Each structure stands twice: as C-alpha cells, then as structure tokens.
Amino acid sequence: MNIAVSAKISEQDHFDINRILMVDDSPTERARLGAMLKDLGYEVVEACDGKEALALLERDQFQLILSDQVMPEMDGKTLCRTLRSNERYGSPYVVMLTAENDQNELVTCMDAGADDFLRKPAVKEELRVRLAAGARLVSMRKSVTDQNEQLNETVTALEAAQKQNEEELQFATHLQEEYVPKNQWLSPTLELATHFKTARGIGGDSMGYVTTNNNQVLIYQIDVMGHGVASAMLSFTLQNAIQQMLGYYINQSVLPPLHQIVRRLNERFPSERFSGLYFTMFLGMIDEQANTLRYCQAGHPHPCVLSEQGDMMQITRGSFPVGMFEFADFETRSLPFLPGSSLLLSSDGLFDIVDETNSALGRNAIENILKRERSKDAETQLDIIKQFAYDWGNQETPEDDVSVMLIKRSSENNQETELNVQPFLISLRPTESDVEKTLDRIYLHLKLLNTDDLILSKIRTALAELLNNFVEHTVWPEDYAELPIEIITTTSKSWIEFNIQEYSVELPHLCPPKPYSGESESGRGQHIMMSWIDQISCMRDNDANLWRLRFKNS
C-alpha cells in the first residue's frame, strides 16, 4: 500500500474513541474481529501488518489500536516500539492479540509498549471491556492534556501580562523620576539639590517648584499615604493640579496666601472620593528680597531650617493632612531666611529608615549633618546625608518612599560681585545665520581666554538651545527690526556669565526650566538648560526680557 508520509495530525482535531485501527495479517481474523467491533459500535479501519498501519498513522490519528503480535513485514512488538519512539503518532492505546500462553512473551509485549493484551481467539465481551477500559484511559489522558494546555496558556498569558505590567511600571517609574526637579540653581543665589527613591518602583511622593514674576520661588512637597499604583496615580494628579494652580495664580498676579491654596486642595481632593487616600504637604515661598520663608505645613514632617551660623529653627506646629477632614484649617507662617540659610524638606521615609535593631534614623541625625557640613554646597551636603542614611539602614531599597529637597542660599561673603575681564558685547537678530555667527564669535573669544574645552562645549550647546528657541518659537513685536538681541559675556576665575537682553512679546516656553519631559517639543532643550547651566534666571523689565546665565569656570 503506497501512502505518502505527512506531518503529525493534531489529536485535538481527530480525537475519536469510536474509531479503531485493527492490524492483522489474516483476512479471516480481520473479518471476524471487524464484525464484532462493528457490533460494539466502533468504526473500523484495517491494516494487514505493522508497516501498513504506520502508513495509515502517518496521515491520520487513532486513539485505539487492536494489533496481532505475529505478522510479516512488521510484527506487533515492532509496531509498538515504533509508535512509542515517535511523538508524531500520538499516544494510542494498544491492545495486543497473541496466541502465545507464555508469561515471558506477554511481558515482552508490554515492554515493547502494549497497554493491554488479549489471547486469541478473542471473544466479544472480553473485547468490549478491554476496549472500554482503553477508551476511558485515553479520554482521561486527553482531559489531563487539555487541562495542562489550558494551564500553560493561562501561565503564558499571566507571564505576558506580568511582563507588560513590569514594563509599564518601569516606564511609570521613569516618568515619575523625570518630574523630580534636578540639581540646579533656582536663582543666582539659591541652589537646589534633590533626592528621590521609591519603595516599590512607583510611589506617592512628589515635589517641585515654580518661580514667580517677582523672583520669588514657590516650593512644594507631597506624600500620598500608602504605596503602589493608586498612590502614584493620585501623586501624578496632584503634581499637575498644583503646577496648574500655581501657574494660574502667578500669571494673574493674584497669588493668595499659601494656606488658602492648601485649603483649595483640601476641598478638591477629599479622601472619600479617592478610596480613602489623603496626603501630607509642605508649601513654601522663599522671598530673598524680604529674607523670609513663608510656608504652610499640612501634616508633613517639619522642615529643617538652618541659619548661616548653625542655629536650627525649631518648628513644632503643623496642621491636619490634606483631604482627611472637610473642616481642616491651615495657616501660613513665616521664618527668617537670610543669606547662608539652608532649608531641608523630606517625606517621613528618610527619618523612618531603621537599622538592624529597628531603631529609626530620626531627624536629629539629619540636623547634625546639616550643621556639621553647612559650609559645603547643597549637592555635597545631600550626598553626605544619603550616604549616612542608607548606611544606617544597610539596605538599597527603603521601606517607604524617600523624597528630599535641600535648598541653600548663598552667603553674602560667597557672592561674587566683580568680574575681572572686560565685558564682550554682541548684538544679533533671531535668525539662524546670526545665531551661528554669534556662537562662533563667543567660542573664539572664550578660547582666547584659555577656557577649558569641556566648558566651551557645554556653553555652546546650551546657548544654541536658548538662541534657537528665540528663532523657532518666540513671538516678536512688529517693530522688532529696531530692537536687536544683546549678549554681554563676562568672565572671572570662577564664573563665565552671559547677560542677554531681548524684546520678545512673551518669554520663550523653554525657560525658566519646567519639569523635564522627553515627549515635549523642547524636552531636549529643557534637559540641557537644567543640567548644564549652573545658574539661570530671567525677569521682565521695561518690555525686555533679561536673562542671566552662569557657568562655573573650573
């Protein structure tokens, strides 16, 4: 019988326990057995020996096989061995027919892969019960196989979902970290250093700042109770709401007292609307002209405020968290914030780091570091605090989210008021060609002063981002032809300073820097301005925008 070899047929598509493959070299025996099998309700397919049976199994699946032991070409034992050695034939239930009465011969048949045996001549009732037992076993095996496949599919789906969740959480963590302000100068004399670390990938802490039209700096820090996705989502929502609210007040020049802003948030975010979640908050305003820190503290850990002389302001009064009680009231308080002062804000995750004996770090240890290291810059101070805190806890991942803002105001003795080199003045118009020429002239000027190549590269790239922003995004008055952009470059041993005066209708959206977003139109520019310029400020005066950019010359 010439039958082409084909791929394994799916058991699921051809599972039929009422079909049986009968293999016997005797036509008479095939006729006798076939008649009994048909009477028992089976559909019978015949093969004269093992070789023909394999040819049939190459193109079709059979769950039950009734095979003679002794046959030409390929006997029953060889057929069994072949079936068990190749998965393409599936796992049929094989009943071996034998005329032998030798026990050893029967064992040999079972070793070859037979599931059961019948002595010739088989009688109808015995044939019925043996095949019924085989059908039950095959059905049970099929059920187990199907359940395993379903379980594997479920596990695969769960693994895929878990992988997707992990990837989404990683992205959310990255996005949350991008919203954290980077180390930078908020004004020519206010240095900001930050640290942010979550306990579970994403967390409920967030912080930020907004500058006002009067060169004041609004800072905030929030800590949503709990951990995980719900807290993080509320934290994101609060971050956007606070930024929009403060931005609106500043644009309208109607900034209310700080406690009224917090009261508005308390009304807008009641805990019963957000699954019982509430949050603590610190909202403050640093006014360098008035030498004050005005603040509203809503259930948040007390800030650490240190004078230049090392005196720590003792703050013991706060109020309820935001969203917890409808009747909660808040107040705005004030502290002196003179040159040389430092302000540290932290969620309770920092102070609650515990050592091996379960002793909490506490705020006294942090205050002692601030006092001891007060002569250092904010970034160095915060690095020392982080190292001490995580060494104390002897763990890389804290049990609670940790967010820290350290703001240090330069002392009057450290403010450099005289620059040593004759200022270098350049006028240009907002065109690509003028920008390129200006960048080349500034580069050559600083190169002649032996400026370090790395500093030159930072300066050129940062200036290019700002000046190209004037070209591409800024709106100018109709009579701009009479109002060129002026850049004055001055240098000293410590600083390279650029004072830029331009007359655009409104400030370019690039600066003052906002929280960096890689998806925003000027994301790269924001990143460069925040990361590479050591001090940056901008103010509006007599229809002109006055920019001050400083780079460390060392």
Side-chain angles (χ1 to χ4, degrees):
M1 186 174 184
N2 185 14
I3 301 177
V5 176
S6 64
K8 176 184 174 182
I9 306 298
S10 168
E11 289 190 26
Q12 185 174 1
D13 295 338
H14 293 78
F15 185 82
D16 187 354
I17 60 174
N18 293 316
R19 294 173 70 241
I20 188 167
L21 176 60
M22 182 178 62
V23 188
D24 200 302
D25 61 318
S26 170
T28 302
E29 188 67 10
R30 290 202 303 271
R32 190 181 74 84
L33 288 173
M36 284 193 295
L37 291 171
K38 290 176 182 177
D39 287 344
L40 293 173
Y42 290 99
E43 177 187 344
V44 182
V45 179
E46 298 180 7
C48 64
D49 56 30
K51 186 176 180 180
E52 186 177 358
L54 287 179
L56 289 169
L57 288 165
E58 290 286 353
R59 64 179 184 180
D60 203 353
Q61 283 280 328
F62 292 89
Q63 307 306 322
L64 297 174
I65 297 177
L66 182 64
S67 175
D68 191 12
Q69 177 187 349
V70 180
M71 294 179 291
E73 292 290 337
M74 181 183 291
D75 63 13
K77 288 184 287 187
T78 305
L79 172 62
C80 283
R81 293 191 189 98
T82 305
L83 292 176
R84 302 314 184 199
S85 65
N86 197 325
E87 292 182 356
R88 69 187 303 169
Y89 300 117
S91 300
Y93 189 89
V94 180
V95 178
M96 188 74 73
L97 291 168
T98 176
E100 301 288 343
N101 199 22
D102 185 1
Q103 188 72 23
N104 292 331
E105 186 65 22
L106 297 178
V107 171
T108 303
C109 291
M110 301 295 282
D111 285 341
D115 295 290
D116 202 352
F117 63 91
L118 280 172
R119 289 188 177 89
K120 288 185 175 182
V123 297
K124 185 175 181 180
E125 281 303 305
E126 188 176 7
L127 187 61
R128 179 183 66 80
V129 296
R130 296 298 178 94
L131 292 177
R136 288 196 299 271
L137 181 61
V138 169
S139 297
M140 290 172 59
R141 186 187 299 161
K142 178 66 165 55
S143 177
V144 171
T145 300
D146 289 346
Q147 291 177 15
N148 286 337
E149 289 179 354
Q150 293 176 3
L151 179 61
N152 289 335
E153 290 175 358
T154 302
V155 170
T156 301
L158 289 174
E159 290 175 347
Q162 182 179 3
K163 182 179 179 181
Q164 182 179 359
N165 288 338
E166 290 175 353
E167 291 174 351
E168 291 176 351
L169 285 174
Q170 288 176 0
F171 177 75
T173 301
H174 172 73
L175 187 62
Q176 193 171 32
E177 290 172 349
E178 290 295 344
Y179 266 84
V180 176
K182 304 300 185 289
N183 295 347
Q184 59 189 280
W185 288 82
L186 302 177
S187 77
T189 55
L190 280 182
E191 182 189 5
L192 169 68
T194 63
H195 173 62
F196 180 78
K197 199 166 190 177
T198 60
R200 300 181 183 176
I202 56 176
D205 287 10
S206 60
M207 51 190 170
Y209 73 91
V210 177
T211 56
T212 73
N213 297 329
N214 298 319
N215 288 329
Q216 300 160 324
V217 178
L218 281 163
I219 55 175
Y220 63 87
Q221 187 176 68
I222 58 177
D223 181 2
V224 179
M225 295 300 100
H227 304 285
V229 176
S231 296
M233 291 298 294
L234 180 55
S235 182
F236 272 116
T237 303
L238 290 168
Q239 176 94 342
N240 291 328
I242 293 169
Q243 286 279 342
Q244 292 175 7
M245 187 181 297
L246 296 180
Y248 171 80
Y249 288 140
I250 292 169
N251 290 334
Q252 298 298 317
S253 299
V254 289
L255 188 66
L258 301 182
H259 65 272
Q260 291 187 13
I261 298 175
V262 178
R263 186 182 301 158
R264 189 74 54 86
L265 291 171
N266 190 68
E267 296 169 354
R268 184 173 172 183
F269 295 94
S271 61
E272 60 266 20
R273 285 182 52 200
F274 296 91
S275 302
L277 293 175
Y278 58 91
F279 60 97
T280 66
M281 180 178 187
F282 180 94
L283 176 63
M285 175 187 285
I286 297 176
D287 188 334
E288 293 185 272
Q289 185 174 357
N291 291 321
T292 59
L293 166 67
R294 293 198 295 276
Y295 68 93
C296 179
Q297 183 184 356
H300 207 67
H302 301 311
C304 301
V305 183
L306 184 72
S307 71
E308 183 177 21
Q309 293 73 31
D311 298 322
M312 187 68 65
M313 307 291 180
Q314 296 301 317
I315 303 172
T316 58
R317 185 175 177 181
S319 57
F320 291 110
V322 184
M324 179 178 284
F325 301 114
E326 182 181 358
F327 59 81
D329 201 6
F330 309 93
E331 63 177 340
T332 301
R333 307 185 74 192
S334 181
L335 287 173
F337 199 73
L338 300 168
S341 297
S342 299
L343 165 66
L344 183 138
L345 298 177
S346 176
S347 60
D348 53 13
L350 175 65
F351 305 128
D352 291 344
I353 292 177
V354 297
D355 63 6
E356 296 176 351
T357 65
N358 207 37
S359 297
L361 176 63
R363 64 182 294 115
N364 287 338
I366 303 302
E367 291 180 349
N368 290 336
I369 295 175
L370 285 174
K371 293 177 182 178
R372 186 179 69 242
E373 308 294 344
R374 65 180 183 276
S375 62
K376 295 182 171 63
D377 60 84
E379 184 174 353
T380 302
Q381 281 183 296
L382 188 52
D383 285 341
I384 295 173
I385 289 173
K386 290 187 298 183
Q387 186 68 45
F388 181 85
Y390 293 125
D391 286 348
W392 173 277
N394 194 25
Q395 55 188 2
E396 294 184 2
T397 302
E399 295 182 1
D400 193 8
D401 303 331
V402 175
S403 57
V404 186
M405 300 179 76
L406 177 55
I407 300 174
K408 184 169 184 178
R409 185 178 180 187
S410 301
S411 65
E412 292 179 342
N413 296 330
N414 294 334
Q415 296 179 22
E416 186 176 9
T417 57
E418 294 184 2
L419 296 174
N420 305 324
V421 178
Q422 183 69 28
F424 177 61
L425 173 64
I426 296 178
S427 296
L428 70 149
R429 303 184 190 285
T431 64
E432 291 184 8
S433 59
D434 268 22
V435 167
E436 288 297 324
K437 292 176 184 178
T438 299
L439 292 173
D440 290 340
R441 290 181 63 188
I442 292 174
Y443 179 86
L444 291 174
H445 171 72
L446 296 176
K447 190 70 174 177
L448 291 174
L449 298 176
N450 297 317
T451 306
D452 181 79
D453 287 340
L454 179 60
I455 298 174
L456 279 174
S457 176
K458 291 170 59 176
I459 289 174
R460 185 182 181 96
T461 306
L463 282 178
E465 290 293 337
L466 181 60
L467 296 180
N468 286 329
N469 197 60
F470 292 149
V471 175
E472 296 175 7
H473 304 298
T474 306
V475 179
W476 303 92
E478 295 181 359
D479 58 348
Y480 178 73
E482 306 300 324
L483 303 171
I485 301 172
E486 292 186 345
I487 301 178
I488 298 177
T489 306
T490 46
T491 62
S492 72
K493 293 181 180 180
S494 303
W495 297 96
I496 299 175
E497 181 177 297
F498 296 90
N499 286 279
I500 304 173
Q501 178 174 285
E502 46 85 12
Y503 295 85
S504 61
V505 173
E506 56 186 15
L507 296 180
H509 64 276
L510 182 63
C511 289
K514 301 175 182 177
Y516 166 58
S517 170
E519 298 179 357
S520 69
E521 182 180 12
S522 58
R524 177 175 176 270
Q526 293 176 9
H527 179 67
I528 290 173
M529 300 296 278
M530 288 193 293
S531 301
W532 288 8
I533 300 176
D534 296 297
Q535 294 183 10
I536 181 170
S537 64
C538 182
M539 61 178 295
R540 186 84 172 174
D541 185 32
N542 294 326
D543 297 326
N545 298 320
L546 307 177
W547 300 76
R548 186 189 189 201
L549 282 59
R550 272 189 160 196
F551 299 82
K552 291 181 180 179
N553 194 14
S554 59

